[in-house]
């Protein structure tokens, strides 16, 4: 067996066997093949696709390419959730403690932001003292003791994905559904949880631009998870406009705190409650989705979710003073108001435009080595469907950069206003199980 024969087979649109895929992944992580071999095979996969069995086998071999976190000795159902990325998506900061407030074990490995999409780790690290660099042993200890922990991906976890992801990024093969699916699911499976909930975003601020593509990816993710004997479900959610109001690290932490105190934006709260309800049914707390949602809403109102949030942050070194006094967080030097120049109803707030503007203000990174300004970002004052008058505040812009007039003009253009009434969009589009 050799890599050139495997490349030729996929080039000719023939299915690879489990042993051929295993050989490829083992050779990749042991550096027995060159990057150009792997890149060529990725392009062949991109052009010709993969069968379901091939995707399952690729996912399993990537999962087994490094350490697998074994949570089996921790009592109870261990749950996990993954988002495909969006603008203003601070869901994990609310969802994880909300679900954990019921005694369910939440064990999550998260990522950093890149481009216009934010990363959970960057948001958590904007809380002074908060550490996401945990060993597997410490991660398991916190899940066992507090029922919740979130950490960054270690070097030992799914090394095949790290190599392939970097190659996909420079070979124009990122958009392959088999490669997207194996990348997401191999990391989730290696993280050791019993159940997985996938939040697949669709719209201008998401990787999936059309509902058709989002449904195809969702169904593929769920079917691969089930083939690997995991309770895997997916929701498709709207990312035409930013989620909630806040975009930017400290700004999103503040909005998460508001939401955990039952004062969050309607769309974001709805998403968190829906996800929590699904995860509670996955954990067998109840088999009734409506009842689970009512239970989750109760724990936002009675303070149990916020208490669990503080316990979690403290256990990973975070200073909980800032959670009780969010006004004490560090602030950006410059604040600008974007005001409405028309009368009417907001038809669209382009999520991609807002996300990219926030990145250029300092809230995100163009390359993984770029440094993030945790104070930078944008806070919307209006949402799609809202009525606006001339000179109404559309959003506030926060940055430490000077000479941002071009960025401010771009943000203003992200708001599309019509003279006729516009329907408020639903945040939850579909549920797949």
């Amino acid at each position: 067996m050799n890599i050139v024969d495997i490349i030729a087979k996929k080039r000719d649109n023939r299915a690879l066997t489990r042993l051929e895929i295993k050989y490829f992944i083992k050779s990749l992580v042991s550096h027995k093949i060159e990057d150009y071999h792997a890149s060529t095979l990725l392009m062949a996969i991109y052009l010709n696709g993969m069968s379901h069995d091939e995707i399952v086998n690729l996912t399993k071999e990537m999962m087994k390419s490094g350490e697998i976190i074994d949570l089996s000795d921790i009592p109870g159902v261990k749950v996990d959730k993954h988002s495909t990325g969006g603008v203003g998506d601070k869901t994990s900061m609310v969802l994880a403690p909300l679900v954990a407030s019921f005694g369910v074990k939440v064990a999550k490995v998260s990522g950093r932001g890149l481009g216009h999409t934010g990363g959970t780790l960057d948001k958590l690290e904007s809380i002074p003292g908060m550490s996401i660099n945990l060993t597997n042993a410490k991660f398991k200890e916190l899940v066992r003791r507090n029922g919740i922990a979130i950490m960054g991906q270690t070097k030992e976890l799914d090394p095949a994905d790290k190599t392939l992801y970097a190659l996909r990024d420079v070979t124009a093969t990122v958009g392959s559904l088999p490669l997207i699916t194996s990348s997401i699911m191999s990391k989730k499976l290696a993280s050791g949880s019993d159940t997985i909930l996938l939040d697949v975003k669709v719209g201008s601020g998401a990787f999936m631009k059309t509902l058709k593509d989002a449904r195809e990816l969702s169904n593929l993710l769920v079917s691969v998870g089930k083939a690997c004997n995991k309770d895997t479900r997916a929701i498709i959610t709207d990312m035409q406009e930013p989620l909630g109001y806040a975009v930017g690290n400290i700004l999103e932490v503040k909005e998460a705190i508001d939401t955990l105190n039952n004062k969050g934006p309607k769309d974001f709260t709805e998403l968190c409650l829906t996800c929590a309800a699904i995860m509670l049914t996955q954990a067998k707390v109840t088999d009734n989705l409506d009842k689970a949602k009512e239970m989750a809403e109760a724990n936002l109102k009675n303070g149990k979710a916020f208490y669990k949030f503080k316990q979690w942050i403290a256990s990973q070194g975070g200073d909980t003073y800032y959670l009780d006094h969010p006004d004490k967080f560090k602030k950006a030097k410059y604040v600008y108001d974007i005001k409405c120049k028309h009368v009417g109803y907001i038809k669209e707030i382009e999520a991609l435009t807002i996300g990219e503007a926030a990145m250029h203000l300092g809230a995100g990174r163009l390359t993984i080595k770029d440094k993030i300004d945790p104070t930078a970002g944008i806070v919307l004052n209006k949402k799609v469907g809202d009525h606006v008058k001339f000179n109404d505040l559309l959003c506030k812009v926060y940055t430490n950069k000077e000479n941002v007039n071009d960025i401010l003009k771009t943000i203003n253009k992200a708001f599309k206003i019509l003279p006729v009434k516009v329907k408020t969009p639903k945040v939850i589009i579909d549920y797949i199980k």
Side-chain angles (χ1 to χ4, degrees), residues 83-334:
S83 168
T84 57
V87 180
D89 185 6
K90 71 287 292 178
T91 309
S92 293
M93 288 191 289
V94 173
L95 181 61
L98 176 56
V99 173
S101 70
F102 290 91
V104 176
K105 304 293 193 296
V106 182
K108 180 167 169 52
V109 177
S110 289
R112 296 196 177 278
L114 189 61
H116 73 279
T117 61
T120 298
L121 300 183
D122 301 310
K123 295 163 192 177
L124 289 173
E125 283 186 326
S126 67
I127 302 171
M130 183 69 177
S131 173
I132 48 78
N133 297 313
L134 307 178
T135 64
N136 288 353
K138 183 66 174 178
F139 179 70
K140 288 181 63 174
E141 176 197 329
L142 293 177
V143 173
R144 180 182 283 107
R145 188 175 75 217
N146 298 326
I148 180 173
I150 293 182
M151 71 171 184
Q153 186 178 350
T154 64
K155 291 180 180 179
E156 295 77 22
L157 191 79
D158 201 353
D161 179 63
K162 292 188 184 73
T163 302
L164 291 178
Y165 194 90
L167 290 174
R168 286 166 57 207
D169 198 39
V170 297
T171 56
T173 56
V174 170
S176 161
L177 286 182
L179 297 177
I180 294 169
T181 300
S182 58
S183 175
I184 291 172
M185 294 306 297
S186 61
K187 290 194 291 285
K188 292 290 100 181
L189 292 166
S191 301
S193 289
D194 302 310
T195 75
I196 303 166
L197 174 62
L198 299 147
D199 179 2
V200 178
K201 303 292 187 188
V202 61
S204 76
F207 188 72
M208 295 290 112
K209 303 299 182 187
T210 69
L211 187 54
K212 177 180 177 293
D213 288 343
R215 281 209 171 96
E216 188 176 355
L217 177 60
S218 299
N219 283 309
L220 193 50
L221 290 166
V222 169
S223 66
V224 169
K226 289 180 177 178
C228 295
N229 300 314
K230 295 286 183 181
D231 179 344
T232 308
R233 308 182 194 184
I235 54 171
I236 300 174
T237 61
D238 178 69
M239 191 41 69
Q240 278 294 111
E241 67 173 331
L243 181 61
Y245 290 102
V247 180
N249 297 280
I250 284 176
L251 302 173
E252 292 187 45
V253 171
K254 288 182 175 181
E255 188 160 89
I257 291 169
D258 283 344
T259 306
L260 285 161
N261 284 295
N262 201 37
K263 295 182 288 186
K266 186 177 179 181
D267 61 336
F268 179 53
T269 301
E270 173 65 17
L271 175 59
C272 291
L273 290 175
T274 301
C275 288
I278 295 169
M279 292 172 76
L280 290 174
T281 60
Q282 286 180 297
K284 306 289 192 278
V285 173
T286 176
D287 60 1
N288 186 297
L289 207 56
D290 290 334
K291 182 181 179 182
K293 193 171 181 180
E294 289 175 6
M295 293 167 63
E297 190 170 10
N299 274 20
L300 280 186
K301 291 178 179 178
N302 62 28
K304 289 182 179 179
F306 185 58
Y307 175 83
K308 180 57 71 172
F309 178 64
K310 290 171 66 175
Q311 183 189 45
W312 161 42
I313 298 302
S315 73
Q316 293 188 215
D319 188 342
T320 58
Y321 175 80
Y322 291 88
L323 311 186
D324 288 319
H325 305 90
D327 58 307
K328 300 299 183 183
F329 273 105
K330 190 176 178 181
K331 296 177 177 63
K333 184 176 179 181
Y334 303 108

Side-chain angles (χ1 to χ4, degrees), residues 51-61 223-225 227-228:
S51 68
H52 189 267
D53 285 347
E54 284 180 286
I55 299 170
V56 170
N57 287 328
L58 179 59
T59 301
K60 287 180 176 178
E61 294 305 324
S223 66
V224 169
C228 295

